[in-house]
Amino acid sequence: MSGTANGSITLTVEGSNKATRLPLLHGSIGPAVADIRKLYGDLGVFTYDPGYGATASCESRITYIDGDEGVLLYRGYPIEQLAEHSTFLEVAHLLLNGELPNRAESQSFERGILRHTMLHEQIRSFYNGFRRDAHPMAVLCGVVGALSAFYHDSLDINDPEHRRISAFRLIAKMPTIAAWAYKYSIGQPFMYPRNDLGYAENFLHMMNGVPTESSYVNPVLSRAMDRILILHADHEQNASTSTVRLAGSTGANPFACIAAGIASLWGPAHGGANEAVLKMLGEIGHIDRIPDFIARVKDKNSNVRLMGFGHRVYKNYDPRAKIMERTCHEVLAELGIKDDPLLDLAMELERVALSDEYFISKKLYPNVDFYSGIILKAMGFPTHMFTVLFAVARTVGWISQWKEMIEDPLQRIGRPRQLYIGPTQRDFVPMEQRG
Ligand code: SDX
């Protein structure tokens, strides 16, 4: 345990003499936690927290979010500084190992990643089993989960070397798997990775290159892509990371755990929101129709949400959204797109929402997904590839959090309890008596 015990909370059960004292554990920054591990033993009750909005599932040294202040730190470094000055592979080293690499460490890490970008040739035939119109997230789930069928030499999760090589393989192969899913969907030949290119540059090369021409990757776009990957790399104990940790707590191999994370990220309330934002903007269609849409969002019975807005933790601006918006203007300018109707619509929608009492009172601000789809669409990504890109980036965070959990001496299988509200015990009823 690395939290510092200081103080406690005393709980008593009204009308009984039962009481317990829960130690308060303090981290380096952020809220303290009440250690409830002995609560059931002392008082015979569980805590109740659907969606885990007020529950710390673990100790972690990786990412810190202050939702009220709109702060995001990767191993203590502000996301704004990393987005401005770092690279995705340098951030990968930081998230995995805890420190920014020195020059030698950086070169060795990059060489390690680049040596694993290729896929086993038999994995190519996996793609042929999918329909051409399969959603690429379905392909990603399938292919990543199947990697454990190919790498029997790195499945012992208790072997640090196996953990290291599995992390390298996953980080290195995700862009190849993702780009091949795209190429398969449009019937173009797969492009092999090139180890003379940077990580983001290589991804764009595999996405947009064709064997018949030498491929050129615009450096402004590959820099923008690298920054987008940094912004999506990790985010504390979000739903997909918690999925990876829960799967990993059973001892499942890292490829299976990351496949579980991909499945969880796919949901429109989570990583699927960037795709949902573009769909929403398409449905709104024109600035004149924003008032009607906002009215539907505010109508409880409509079940319509302003996608790309709101966050379980941020009750202020998501710092990633601001960087994403800036990157959006950069990319559109580089592509010579003067007036992108989608961007104009999104900016007007943001302006209207941020001045509307409904959103202000519920502290709903743009999140990382609000602008990302506009950039990716301008860069030529089809909408169904947006969450795939999120998964490519988040694989670094997932595998870093998985590694931290496996190496935590206190980690044990995750097994939440429940408040049971079903039938009390009753006897079996034979068919003839069932009415
Ligand atoms: C990501 O956890 C992470 O860190 C995730 C992520 C990461 O990097 O891993 O940051 C990535 O998933 C970003 C979020 C992307 N999702 C969306 O943009 C989808 C739209 N947003 C929401 O559905 C919602 O805001 C959530 C899911 C993101 C957060 O939901 P919460 O915290 O459970 O909030 P809630 O659903 O309880 O809503 C609180 C209130 C409700 O109104 P009341 O019942 O109190 O009257 O706010 C309303 C909600 O109806 N609300 C919205 C809204 N989001 C919340 N109303 C309209 N539009 C929205 N987007």
Side-chain angles (χ1 to χ4, degrees):
M1 173 68 64
S2 305
T4 310
N6 180 6
S8 63
I9 290 177
T10 301
L11 290 183
T12 57
V13 178
E14 280 175 17
S16 86
N17 60 354
K18 284 187 176 181
T20 184
R21 186 185 293 275
L22 303 176
L24 270 182
L25 303 178
H26 299 261
S28 40
I29 39 178
V33 299
D35 183 346
I36 60 166
R37 284 175 288 183
K38 67 190 188 77
L39 179 67
Y40 180 66
D42 286 0
L43 300 186
V45 297
F46 297 134
T47 56
Y48 182 61
D49 182 21
Y52 309 115
T55 296
S57 61
C58 62
E59 285 189 335
S60 181
R61 293 177 175 80
I62 298 175
T63 293
Y64 175 73
I65 302 170
D66 181 330
D68 295 327
E69 297 302 319
V71 170
L72 170 57
L73 308 177
Y74 286 170
R75 299 282 190 178
Y77 294 100
I79 191 67
E80 295 83 355
Q81 294 181 26
L82 292 170
E84 184 65 28
H85 304 298
S86 191
T87 66
F88 179 67
L89 281 188
E90 191 172 76
V91 165
H93 182 283
L94 173 67
L95 291 171
L96 261 176
N97 303 311
E99 296 298 338
L100 289 169
N102 61 31
R103 197 169 302 282
E105 289 164 339
S106 177
Q107 287 166 354
S108 157
F109 186 80
E110 291 209 9
R111 261 197 318 276
I113 295 293
L114 290 175
R115 277 188 50 241
H116 291 286
T117 51
M118 284 211 304
L119 289 171
H120 191 292
E121 273 299 295
Q122 277 175 238
I123 289 180
R124 289 175 63 102
S125 52
F126 268 59
Y127 287 81
N128 297 326
F130 291 100
R131 286 172 41 149
R132 293 278 179 180
D133 63 353
H135 195 292
M137 283 297 280
V139 178
L140 212 63
C141 269
V143 175
V144 172
L147 290 179
S148 42
F150 286 80
Y151 297 113
H152 304 107
D153 64 340
S154 66
L155 296 180
D156 176 1
I157 60 167
N158 298 307
D159 181 332
E161 182 50 20
H162 284 202
R163 291 200 295 270
R164 187 192 67 78
I165 192 167
S166 294
F168 271 48
R169 279 173 166 152
L170 280 157
I171 295 168
K173 295 178 193 313
M174 283 301 278
T176 311
I177 294 169
W180 285 15
Y182 169 62
K183 285 297 193 185
Y184 182 75
S185 73
I186 59 173
Q188 280 193 1
F190 294 156
M191 292 298 286
Y192 282 96
R194 275 180 42 190
N195 292 349
D196 59 320
L197 300 179
Y199 191 87
E201 196 182 2
N202 200 9
F203 179 47
L204 293 178
H205 155 70
M206 292 187 282
M207 280 290 298
N208 303 320
V210 287
T212 48
E213 292 168 17
S214 59
S215 83
Y216 164 75
V217 178
N218 180 324
V220 173
L221 300 189
S222 62
R223 175 67 192 127
M225 175 54 62
D226 198 77
R227 187 184 303 154
I228 291 169
L229 294 172
I230 290 172
L231 294 177
H232 287 83
D234 193 53
H235 213 238
E236 197 208 76
Q237 305 311 318
N238 59 84
S240 53
T241 297
S242 299
T243 301
V244 171
R245 278 181 172 260
L246 194 56
S249 75
T250 71
N253 72 72
F255 304 104
C257 295
I258 298 303
I262 294 169
S264 174
L265 184 75
W266 196 357
H270 189 14
N274 49 21
E275 184 174 347
V277 168
L278 257 287
K279 187 164 170 282
M280 172 188 73
L281 293 173
E283 284 165 3
I284 295 171
H286 192 278
I287 285 177
D288 296 346
R289 295 169 57 188
I290 288 178
D292 286 349
F293 177 76
I294 293 291
R296 286 172 58 209
V297 169
K298 292 155 69 171
D299 171 8
K300 274 289 160 220
N301 302 317
S302 74
N303 205 24
V304 170
R305 288 203 164 184
L306 177 48
M307 302 310 278
F309 258 66
H311 199 276
R312 172 62 59 78
V313 177
Y314 288 121
K315 300 310 172 192
N316 196 328
Y317 231 97
D318 181 336
R320 302 168 297 177
K322 286 180 183 166
I323 302 166
M324 202 63 88
E325 186 187 357
R326 229 178 23 251
T327 306
C328 196
H329 289 289
E330 272 176 34
V331 166
L332 294 179
E334 177 63 22
L335 294 172
I337 301 173
K338 294 274 182 292
D339 301 313
D340 181 342
L342 276 180
L343 178 60
D344 295 343
L345 181 57
M347 290 174 70
E348 178 60 11
L349 183 58
E350 176 188 357
R351 188 194 64 76
V352 170
L354 292 181
S355 57
D356 185 298
E357 188 46 34
Y358 174 91
F359 298 92
I360 295 168
S361 63
K362 294 177 187 294
K363 298 185 177 181
L364 302 175
Y365 292 87
N367 58 49
V368 67
D369 294 302
F370 190 66
Y371 284 104
S372 59
I374 297 169
I375 304 176
L376 297 176
K377 183 174 188 302
M379 291 174 77
F381 283 85
T383 311
H384 64 206
M385 280 295 291
F386 292 178
T387 310
V388 170
L389 191 130
F390 196 148
V392 169
R394 188 54 58 88
T395 294
V396 164
W398 288 331
I399 203 69
S400 301
Q401 299 267 353
W402 171 82
K403 175 177 176 284
E404 182 178 68
M405 178 203 63
I406 296 291
E407 293 171 356
D408 179 350
L410 291 179
Q411 80 91 11
R412 52 206 289 249
I413 189 167
R415 184 23 176 119
R417 301 305 302 270
Q418 62 179 10
L419 174 66
Y420 178 70
I421 55 173
T424 53
Q425 184 166 329
R426 52 184 173 165
D427 294 329
F428 181 77
V429 179
M431 180 60 80
E432 56 277 10
Q433 295 173 26
R434 290 181 198 166

